[in-house]
Amino acid sequence: MAHNYTLEIAVNDYPGAAAAAAGGADRIELCNALSEGGLTPSFGLIRKCLQDFTIPIFPIIRPRSGDFLYTNAEFEIMVSDLILCKELGCKGVVVGFLNADGSVDQEKTERFCVLAAPMEVTFHRAFDRCVNPFAALEVIITAGCKRILTSGQQLAAPDGARLIADLVKAAAGRISIMPGSGVRPENISALATQTGATEFHSSMRSVAPSAMQYKHPSFAAVPDDYVVSVIKDADVREARRNLGLVLTDATDNTDIVG
């Protein structure tokens, strides 16, 4: 018995998208400012990635950092970005709306899904800030989202694996539960076994020195000025390879091919 696993890579820029595609990613979550949890990427970046890569591109629609309680004006901005993504030919978008009481904003989520069609909508880790994950699950399913990105309401998915497994069971195939945050090549197969999830999300980020030869002495000691965040296509390939080692049944020894 074999599973078809999906590996989504969150990228911050064009080089990251190129590395994700070269490494065999199945889908790209396209962001700006991943250090802020991901913000809406630029028009130019979205268009360039759509032109150059054949795998689905899912831009995040998030106009600012901070919480996921949006004003009507912010919602209008998000709708404008959504329409742009639709016109450019994106296969999906990533978004999340909460109410002040920690529940999912069903009205905004439903409106977004209707406007997005036929694009898919992923409800992102705003889910991890909701007060009742199982009530939120039902609201998100009713609203029309295709998947939920979650770390199991912990800082990292490995720590939230038990809740993720419970959500996979509760979802019962009605929506995909996609573990994300702290997902790396070395733990992805264990997460697949522990949770029963078949879609996984990772940024695969590492840091490399900047190629700048000149470093202004006033800024040479600033930690982030002369390093760049990178994705290594080898890491993406390793994660895909490790998904191929997951066993469908602990009682047999048949490898799953991802």
Side-chain angles (χ1 to χ4, degrees), residues 9-13 16 29-40 60 62 125 201-205 229-231:
I9 303 297
V11 308
N12 202 51
D13 48 32
E29 182 193 83
L30 192 61
C31 308
N32 180 36
L34 272 174
S35 61
E36 298 292 329
L39 301 178
T40 308
I60 192 171
R62 188 180 177 214
R125 289 186 63 221
H201 170 101
S202 177
S203 66
M204 297 284 174
R205 281 182 291 174
S229 178
V230 298
I231 294 174

Side-chain angles (χ1 to χ4, degrees), residues 132-155:
N132 185 328
F134 295 98
L137 170 69
E138 298 303 325
V139 170
I140 293 168
I141 290 171
T142 300
C145 294
K146 179 72 173 179
R147 66 186 55 80
I148 296 172
L149 170 62
T150 179
S151 58
Q153 299 205 319
Q154 300 295 321
L155 293 178

